[in-house]
Amino acid sequence: MKNTVKIILIILAVCLFAGVILLFGFLSKRPPSHPSDTIGNSAGNLNNGGYFCEDEDGTVFFANFYDHGFLYSMNADETNIRKLSDTKVTYLNTGGKYLYYYMPDSTASTGLGFVRRVVGIYRSTKNSTQITTLSREPAETLLLSGSRLYYRDASDKKTWKFSSIDLAGKNKEVHLPYSINPASCHNGIIYFADEKENHFLCSYDTNTGVKQQLLRYNVWAPVYADGSVFFMDIENNYRLCALSLSDGEVRVITDDRVDFYNVTPNYIYYQKSSKTSPALKRVRPDGSEETIITEGTYRDLNATSQYLYFREFNDDYTIYHTPINGPVSVSEFSFAKEAVTN
């Protein structure tokens, strides 16, 4: 009798253990979900390629151009820089325990079980030990909002569309039959220039699917911040303006012609377009304290909580940085270069 009981207990223990293993396997394969107010990266960063992204813990993930644009991470103060994978990344987004990004071309990979990856949208753990292909379709301007990924959909070579997929890469939805830039999103509302019709400032509610016109004005690269939508004013030589969503007032931030810009809490950084005096500059959101950061032509203005990173127009290799706040100073991001050889 005792032997029978022992055998039954052993069988029950084995079944329980097997059940736990199966449940763990099921849960580990289930796609993640995020709170509805999750935004994977700032609009300013995504409008500038999404090469840097900071999570809630202060970890920065970035494309290291000293190493082919491969994925690296570091602390916001630029300590503890380390390589995560031989994966060329753009449009980085972070949410919970995961990264989401677009790989623009095939790159060789080592140490992760891949011989070669293809163009597409990917999800990975933040240490890049687990990488999942979500879509192999060509895309641009990837944004994580809540538990969906929104993007410019180039799967149809004839007509670009505005689409989204869930975090398992399934349940694709075409929201608009033409392309919009989904970079700027707040509370599920995407602010964009209607490129198909007239470049008027519009909004798209991801919860209801309702599109609305906000401003009958030709704009480019809108960015929502603190109740206003900043934009480049196409009708007036691409000067930088802001629309107050509370009272509808449009104010001019700078009369400089702007090529690229990024909005941070205390300053707006922008590239002044000029044949005779181009410069990277910063200005307060109210238009005061306009200051030259450095003369020349720069691009890819990506911001973290501590630094603004950028590259010279004709240099794909060198990364420069300047502190987001405080006195102006510019230097090469040498820690990223040293991390490649160390």
Side-chain angles (χ1 to χ4, degrees):
M1 181 69 178
K2 291 183 178 179
N3 289 337
T4 302
V5 172
K6 286 183 178 179
I7 292 172
I8 292 174
L9 290 175
I10 290 172
I11 292 173
L12 288 174
V14 170
C15 291
L16 179 62
F17 180 74
V20 170
I21 294 298
L22 289 172
L23 178 61
F24 178 79
F26 170 76
L27 293 176
S28 64
K29 292 180 180 179
R30 188 171 64 179
S33 63
H34 304 301
S36 60
D37 61 351
T38 299
I39 296 296
N41 202 347
S42 70
N45 284 357
L46 293 176
N47 281 336
N48 284 273
Y51 298 118
F52 284 75
C53 183
E54 184 172 349
D55 68 12
E56 295 179 351
D57 298 327
T59 301
V60 174
F61 302 90
F62 68 100
N64 191 346
F65 295 113
Y66 294 106
D67 191 12
H68 311 287
F70 290 161
L71 179 61
Y72 278 64
S73 71
M74 64 179 174
N75 298 329
D77 64 1
E78 300 183 343
T79 59
N80 193 31
I81 297 181
R82 62 193 185 100
K83 185 175 186 175
L84 298 181
S85 70
D86 290 335
T87 303
K88 189 174 182 179
V89 293
T90 61
Y91 304 118
L92 278 162
N93 286 257
T94 178
K97 300 178 181 179
Y98 295 91
L99 294 176
Y100 305 87
Y101 52 81
Y102 182 74
M103 192 174 73
D105 55 35
S106 298
T107 52
S109 174
T110 59
L112 295 173
F114 291 87
V115 176
R116 182 171 293 275
R117 298 194 193 95
V118 297
V119 168
I121 299 171
Y122 289 84
R123 182 187 77 227
S124 79
T125 51
K126 289 187 175 178
N127 58 9
S128 282
T129 56
Q130 298 178 27
I131 301 176
T132 303
T133 304
L134 300 183
S135 172
R136 291 183 176 178
E137 296 176 345
E140 284 188 4
T141 320
L142 180 71
L143 168 75
L144 170 67
S145 176
S147 291
R148 292 190 71 83
L149 292 162
Y150 298 85
Y151 57 96
R152 293 180 184 264
D153 178 1
S155 57
D156 182 346
K157 294 181 180 180
K158 295 181 180 179
T159 305
W160 285 56
K161 298 179 288 292
F162 169 46
S163 302
S164 71
I165 53 175
D166 65 21
L167 303 186
K170 302 182 183 299
N171 299 311
K172 179 177 177 178
E173 182 176 352
V174 177
H175 300 279
L176 293 172
Y178 56 92
S179 175
I180 70 167
N181 178 0
S184 183
C185 186
H186 178 70
N187 288 337
I189 307 294
I190 292 174
Y191 298 91
F192 66 97
D194 194 342
E195 299 170 29
K196 182 178 184 295
E197 298 293 335
N198 39 42
H199 288 91
F200 289 168
L201 179 62
C202 296
S203 67
Y204 179 87
D205 190 329
T206 60
N207 299 305
T208 64
V210 174
K211 172 190 168 185
Q212 289 186 327
Q213 188 179 103
L214 301 179
L215 186 66
R216 293 179 59 84
Y217 211 77
N218 292 328
V219 308
W220 189 251
V223 170
Y224 173 90
D226 297 326
S228 294
V229 179
F230 296 85
F231 60 88
M232 293 158 62
D233 178 359
I234 296 178
E235 295 184 14
N236 291 281
N237 199 36
Y238 289 85
R239 66 183 181 180
L240 189 62
C241 297
L243 166 70
S244 170
L245 294 178
S246 60
D247 60 19
E249 178 187 358
V250 175
R251 67 183 189 276
V252 178
I253 308 301
T254 177
D255 284 316
D256 286 341
R257 181 183 173 93
V258 173
D259 282 335
F260 314 101
Y261 75 101
N262 200 325
V263 179
T264 69
N266 294 317
Y267 292 99
I268 300 172
Y269 289 83
Y270 69 92
Q271 173 61 42
K272 174 188 173 183
S273 177
S274 171
K275 292 182 179 180
T276 57
S277 57
L280 179 64
K281 302 177 72 173
R282 77 180 186 190
V283 64
R284 294 286 188 183
D286 63 3
S288 64
E289 298 183 28
E290 193 170 299
T291 306
I292 293 177
I293 303 298
T294 181
E295 296 179 349
T297 305
Y298 298 89
R299 59 188 169 114
D300 303 332
L301 315 183
N302 278 242
T304 67
S305 60
Q306 296 195 32
Y307 289 94
L308 179 82
Y309 298 89
F310 50 95
R311 293 190 289 171
E312 204 164 6
F313 187 74
N314 290 318
D315 185 349
D316 293 333
Y317 176 77
T318 309
I319 309 171
Y320 297 96
H321 62 174
T322 185
I324 282 292
N325 300 304
V328 170
S329 66
V330 174
S331 60
E332 186 176 351
F333 182 24
S334 56
F335 293 140
K337 181 192 293 187
E338 294 166 2
V340 178
T341 56
N342 290 343

